[in-house]
Every structure is written in structure tokens, then in C-alpha cells.
Amino acid sequence: MASFDSVTARLILLLAETGSIGRAAEREGIASSAVSRRVSDLEARLGVVLFDRSAQGVRLTKAGEAYADGCRTVLRSIADLDVIMTDFSSGQRGSLRLACTGSALTGRLPELLAKFAARHPGIEIAIGEMSAAKALLALDEGQADIAIVSDNYDFSRFDIKPFEDERVWVLAPPDHELASRIEPRKALPFEAVLPHAIVGIHQAGSLDRLLAEAASTAGRKLTEALRVESFPALVRMVEAGFGIGFLRSTSLHLLAGTDLVCAPLAEPWAMRQLLVARRKSGPLSAAMRGFMTLVSETYLPSG
């Protein structure tokens, strides 16, 4: 049997994630036919079918799920070996790969990384901004050392520490009906915002899920006027009068220069945390230890 092919293994995982040969080929910058040929050759060699193919795309078979799990294990081991070898060196050089959400990058993370870089000038920092779900997937597959994400996910496979506290705020144009309910230094109950159309953000992202779950608990459903994929775009659409919106406190700086009014939501569920996570089973490099120590030294709980 031929040796393990890490390129094909990564393609298998990318196909499992995207469900599309075309999207996987586009992400890797290769031809769709090359992706299909690699998968077909692998299936022929293994004697199993890894993907069910249909007009809607591709989906892992049971055998495919087992092979994908094995690929993740091998790729994690390869990534872990690199970290272990780095720790055999002087510790003065290395890398720190972060997968984090936009909320983390608009909060205290940039200043924290500046402190880290000053303490560890030989450590190369790589930052990937992505959704929380993709950040945890990158962590799981050994593509990131540390993830910084919101707290409403399954963290059973990870070691976690609090990184930053943040509250959900509602914002509205000054001539919006809800604006009359917003008073300085007063929180607003979630029920007050439920009747109004909203500008949605990041389908199935952490904030989207949080608000949808809160509305469902209240026996209601949020009405979306439209949906955007970035917080600056959300602010602009609320400014334009498409509806109200929601931001975490770490993103309130985006309101500078606008005449939007805002208030924190009053409910306990609206106070969340960003967490810093790492794999329980992974090695802890000198760079990771230094970053986690700095996180603990500088975290200040709210209230």
C-alpha cells in the first residue's frame, strides 16, 4: 500500500467541509478534475467508496467518515511533532498560530499581542480571522495552536481560559421607534427589541445563534430585514434605516462618527465571554505557554 499522502488527506477534509468538488478545487487553486482524480485513485487503492456523489455535491460515507477521522489524527500528529521539535530548541524562536473571531481582534487582542511580541521577539505570530466554528475546527485539525472564540460552543475537547468579557448591545437610528426607549446608562430588556426588524450578521455565527436562541426561549422569532457578513457593514445598514442591529461591546468603537443610539441588553445571557482555547491532547509549546500566561496576567473580569 502506498504511503500516506498529506495533500490528498487535506483534500478529503476540505471536501468534507465544503461538500463540493468545485469549491474545494477553488480553495486549493487546482482543477476540479485533479481533485476528482485524487479521490477516485484513493478509493480504488483502498477498495472503498469515501463519498456519495449527487447533483447537490459530495457527502462522506461511513467509510469516508472513518478515513477523514484518521486523516485528522495523522495531520494533528504531524503538526504536534513540529511543535515538539521546536521545544527542543532554545525556546528563543518559534511560532504562535492564532485562529480568532472578529470580536477578539476588535477587543484587547491587538494590544495583548503587542506585549507578547515585546516579550518574545523571536516568536513569529500568525493570525487567522474566521468564525468561531471554523476557528475550533482549525484547532482540532492542528492548523492553529490557540483559538479565541465566544463561549457558546462545545469546549469538551479543549482547555479554556477566560479572555475577555463582553455584553451584547442593541443599536438603532435616532429616528427609529426603539430609540425612544433607549436611555443613557440604562439597560434595555430583550423583549423591547423583539417587535422590530433587524440587520442580521454571520449566518449561524456565535452572535446570530445567541440571539436566535434567546428569541426562541421567549417564544418569538427575530425578523430580518437583511443580512450582512461584517460588523462595519451592519453599522452602515442600521444607519441607512434598514432596521436595528446588535453588537458586542468589543465592537462599539464602530459607532464612532455615527448618530446611532445604543444600549446594553439587560438579560444575564447577554453578558458573554471570549475564551482562549487549546487542545487538551496537544503539546504546549514555549510560545503557547507565554501567551497563556500573559492572558491570565491581564484578564480583568467585569463588575
Side-chain angles (χ1 to χ4, degrees):
M1 182 175 287
S3 60
F4 179 79
D5 180 355
S6 62
V7 174
T8 300
R10 288 191 173 88
L11 281 176
I12 294 297
L13 296 179
L14 191 55
L15 283 169
E17 177 189 345
T18 62
S20 165
I21 290 175
R23 286 197 293 273
E26 184 178 355
R27 289 262 293 271
E28 285 298 291
I30 59 178
S32 297
S33 58
V35 176
S36 296
R37 185 166 57 253
R38 276 185 177 270
V39 175
S40 296
D41 289 349
L42 179 61
E43 288 177 325
R45 180 165 60 82
L46 296 175
V48 297
V49 176
L50 299 176
F51 290 93
D52 287 325
R53 297 157 172 86
S54 70
Q56 287 71 44
V58 296
R59 185 180 62 175
L60 286 172
T61 62
K62 288 294 184 183
E65 290 175 357
Y67 191 81
D69 284 342
C71 288
R72 291 188 184 96
T73 299
V74 173
L75 291 175
R76 281 199 301 262
S77 296
I78 293 171
D80 289 348
L81 183 60
D82 287 340
V83 172
I84 291 169
M85 292 301 100
T86 298
D87 270 352
F88 273 105
S89 68
S90 64
Q92 297 303 307
R93 296 190 178 276
S95 64
L96 180 67
R97 301 168 301 163
L98 297 175
C100 54
T101 62
S103 293
L105 285 171
T106 56
R108 75 186 188 102
L109 179 58
E111 288 76 19
L112 192 73
L113 286 176
K115 290 182 180 179
F116 177 83
R119 287 188 184 182
H120 308 278
I123 300 297
E124 179 182 344
I125 301 171
I127 302 172
E129 181 180 359
M130 60 194 75
S131 69
K134 287 187 176 181
L136 292 176
L137 182 62
L139 196 60
D140 227 2
E141 293 180 354
Q143 302 303 308
D145 303 313
I146 285 172
I148 303 175
V149 298
S150 299
D151 61 1
N152 52 337
Y153 286 87
D154 177 11
F155 290 96
S156 57
R157 303 184 307 282
F158 308 108
D159 283 330
I160 57 174
K161 287 179 178 291
F163 180 77
E164 187 170 15
D165 295 345
E166 55 179 13
R167 181 173 284 280
V168 179
W169 287 59
V170 60
L171 52 147
D175 58 352
H176 192 278
E177 179 185 349
L178 185 65
S180 63
R181 299 282 305 273
I182 295 177
E183 301 178 38
R185 295 183 295 279
K186 284 193 176 181
L188 194 67
F190 187 55
E191 65 178 18
V193 311
L194 285 171
H196 304 288
I198 73 166
V199 178
I201 181 74
H202 295 317
Q203 177 73 40
S206 58
L207 183 56
D208 180 74
R209 291 170 58 236
L210 179 66
L211 294 167
E213 289 168 6
S216 177
T217 299
R220 302 284 293 276
K221 186 176 181 179
L222 292 169
T223 302
E224 281 191 3
L226 51 79
R227 179 178 289 274
V228 296
E229 289 300 317
S230 73
F231 290 110
L234 182 147
V235 171
R236 290 291 295 118
M237 290 303 179
V238 173
E239 271 192 297
F242 281 97
I244 63 172
F246 298 92
L247 289 177
R248 298 181 186 274
S249 51
T250 49
S251 298
L252 289 179
H253 66 280
L254 295 173
L255 302 185
T258 75
D259 59 357
L260 297 178
V261 294
C262 60
L265 293 179
E267 285 73 16
W269 58 259
M271 175 58 78
R272 313 299 298 188
Q273 280 187 328
L274 287 176
L275 301 177
V276 56
R278 73 173 191 89
R279 280 184 293 119
K280 290 179 178 178
S281 59
L284 187 63
S285 70
M288 292 165 67
R289 279 196 299 271
F291 183 79
M292 298 293 272
T293 297
L294 189 57
V295 167
S296 297
E297 288 174 357
T298 57
Y299 168 66
L300 295 174
S302 294

